[in-house]
Amino acid sequence: MRNTPSDLGEQVSRALAEDIGGGDITAALLDDKATGSGRVIAREDTVLCGRPWVDEVYRQLAPKLAAEWHFAEGDSIPADSILYTVHGNARVLLTAERTALNFLQLLCAIAARSRELAAAVAHTGCRLLDTRKTLPGLRSAQKYAVRAGGCHNHRMGLYDAFLIKENHIRASGGIARAIGRARQSQPGKPVEIEVCDLDELEEAIAAGADIALLDNFSPGQIRSAVALAVGRCKLEASGGIGEETLVEIAETGVDYISLGILTKHCRAADLSFLLD
C-alpha cells in the first residue's frame, strides 16, 4: 500500500527469534491440536498501521493462518473497535501475540501522532519530516508509519542525501567548499546544509545548496530567511520544535519542519489481544 519496506520479513524474523528462542514453553502447555479465535481491540482512538507486519508474523509461524482485518491500513480507528480477528492453532495464536502487538502498537502510535501533527499545519504549505532518530533495526518500519499518518520522510540514512552540519563544515573548510565537494563526489544527490544565521544562509544559497537547514532559528528569524531564500533555495526548520511552537513556525512560510518527536517520543497505542 505505502511501499512496505524490503526488510519487513527480516524485522519480523528477528523479532520472533528474540521472543521465542528455543521454543515457547508456556504455549506448549496447551494441547497441540487445540484451536481458538483471537481478536485485537483498540482501547483508545488511533490510526491503523502495521497490518503487513502482523500478517508476516502469522505467515512465518503458520503459513495457512491469516488475520481477518476489519479496517484498512491508514484508517482512523475509534476506541473499542476490533482491528482484526484470527482463528487457528491456539499455541500459534499465543506465541504470535506479543510480537504482533509490539509491531502494531508502535506503528499505530507513530501514524496517529503523525496524523495529528500533519492536521495541525494542514492550512500551510509546510511539510513535516521525520528524522533518523529511530529505533535501531526498525527505521524503515517507523518511516512507513510516518507516511501512513500523513507526514513525510527525510533521508533514510547517511547514504541517500547530503546533510552537511556544523562539524562537517568545519572539517571541510567552510560552507562553499563543503557544498562543492558534495557536488563533485555524488552528482545528483540532494545537498542540504545547516546554517546558523542569515549570512551563512546567503553563503549557502550562493554555493548552490538545494536546502538550507535553519538550526534553532526563532520564528522571526525564519520569516527573514524565507524572504531571503524565496525562489532560490528550500528551507527546513529544525531544533527544539514541539507542539507548542509547531503551527507558528509552519506559518512563517518555511518549506519543511523536521521533527524527532514523530518517531522518538511515541507511546505505544493501547491495544489488547483476547483469545476465545
Side-chain angles (χ1 to χ4, degrees):
M1 175 184 167
R2 291 180 172 84
N3 298 322
T4 53
S6 60
D7 62 339
L8 187 156
E10 297 170 30
Q11 292 173 7
V12 170
S13 63
R14 286 196 304 266
L16 288 172
E18 175 182 70
D19 203 30
I20 299 170
D24 182 350
I25 61 175
T26 310
L29 299 175
L30 281 66
D31 187 294
D32 63 358
K33 300 276 195 303
T35 60
S37 295
R39 61 190 189 278
V40 168
I41 302 170
R43 300 299 186 185
E44 61 183 351
D45 294 348
T46 191
V47 171
L48 178 56
C49 183
R51 280 182 47 161
W53 282 261
V54 173
D55 290 340
E56 181 66 12
V57 168
Y58 290 127
R59 189 196 68 78
Q60 290 193 20
L61 288 176
K64 293 183 179 179
L65 192 154
E68 179 185 350
W69 292 93
H70 304 301
F71 294 91
E73 190 85 328
D75 280 355
S76 295
I77 307 297
D80 300 321
S81 298
I82 297 176
L83 300 185
Y84 72 84
T85 53
V86 62
H87 178 80
N89 183 277
R91 286 187 179 184
V92 173
L93 296 182
L94 292 176
T95 297
E97 173 186 354
R98 179 42 50 201
T99 300
L101 282 182
N102 281 349
F103 281 115
L104 197 60
Q105 289 178 302
L106 172 67
L107 300 183
C108 284
I110 292 171
R113 178 78 152 164
S114 297
R115 180 158 299 173
E116 176 187 8
L117 296 181
V121 301
H123 63 290
T124 75
C126 183
R127 301 175 76 178
L128 303 185
L129 307 177
D130 56 22
T131 71
R132 287 166 44 242
K133 296 174 182 175
T134 55
L135 294 172
L138 290 176
R139 178 170 297 169
S140 65
Q142 290 188 269
K143 283 179 172 282
Y144 168 96
V146 166
R147 299 193 302 273
C151 290
H152 304 271
N153 296 152
H154 208 297
R155 58 181 179 162
M156 183 62 68
L158 298 172
Y159 55 87
D160 55 340
F162 288 100
L163 181 46
I164 305 168
K165 294 194 173 184
E166 181 180 9
N167 287 331
H168 300 105
I169 294 169
R170 288 180 180 175
S172 299
I175 288 174
R177 188 160 183 161
I179 293 174
R181 285 184 170 180
R183 294 289 186 208
Q184 186 176 27
S185 67
Q186 295 284 338
K189 295 283 189 185
V191 177
E192 180 172 1
I193 191 162
E194 181 180 77
V195 299
C196 296
D197 55 39
L198 295 180
D199 289 338
E200 288 191 354
L201 173 58
E202 183 59 58
E203 187 178 354
I205 293 172
D210 296 307
I211 306 171
L213 177 66
L214 308 178
D215 181 41
N216 286 299
F217 276 43
S218 69
Q221 289 172 317
I222 295 174
R223 282 190 287 272
S224 297
V226 169
L228 178 65
V230 63
R232 304 168 69 200
C233 179
K234 297 289 187 181
L235 299 179
E236 175 187 333
S238 184
I241 300 171
E243 293 179 70
E244 66 283 353
T245 57
L246 178 64
V247 174
E248 182 183 8
I249 291 174
E251 289 175 344
T252 63
V254 71
D255 299 286
Y256 311 108
I257 297 173
S258 53
L259 296 166
I261 61 175
L262 290 177
T263 54
K264 192 175 71 162
H265 293 166
C266 284
R267 175 187 60 79
D270 188 2
L271 309 177
S272 296
F273 178 85
L274 297 178
L275 183 68
D276 297 325

